[in-house]
Amino acid sequence: MWVITVYAKNDIQMYEFDNQEEAKESFKKLKGNKVLSEVIYYNDFDSNLIEEAYLNSRVS
């Protein structure tokens, strides 16, 4: 799941997306201070996949 959090003066809005492409398209269109995050539920993966995702993660 992907989440966009938009911060305004007195408001915070969050939008959820099922795929990265849709989230990135919406991220480009939204104005203001915003953060795009991927939410990973560790219970859905085995430990090898979790370790691989952690090793390949990056902050942009």
Side-chain angles (χ1 to χ4, degrees):
M1 175 174 64
W2 292 82
V3 176
I4 298 175
T5 307
V6 181
Y7 300 93
K9 287 182 181 180
N10 296 317
D11 193 29
I12 297 175
Q13 296 180 340
M14 298 179 78
Y15 305 92
E16 294 182 5
F17 302 91
D18 291 326
N19 61 62
Q20 182 180 16
E21 295 79 25
E22 185 180 7
K24 284 186 173 184
E25 286 290 322
S26 294
F27 188 82
K28 292 176 189 176
K29 295 176 185 175
L30 290 169
K31 296 184 183 197
N33 297 319
K34 56 198 175 194
V35 176
L36 175 60
S37 306
E38 181 179 16
V39 178
I40 300 172
Y41 296 100
Y42 289 105
N43 294 341
D44 294 341
F45 300 97
D46 67 26
S47 60
N48 292 332
L49 291 174
I50 293 170
E51 183 177 348
E52 182 181 338
Y54 175 76
L55 294 173
N56 293 323
S57 65
R58 62 175 184 240
V59 176
S60 58

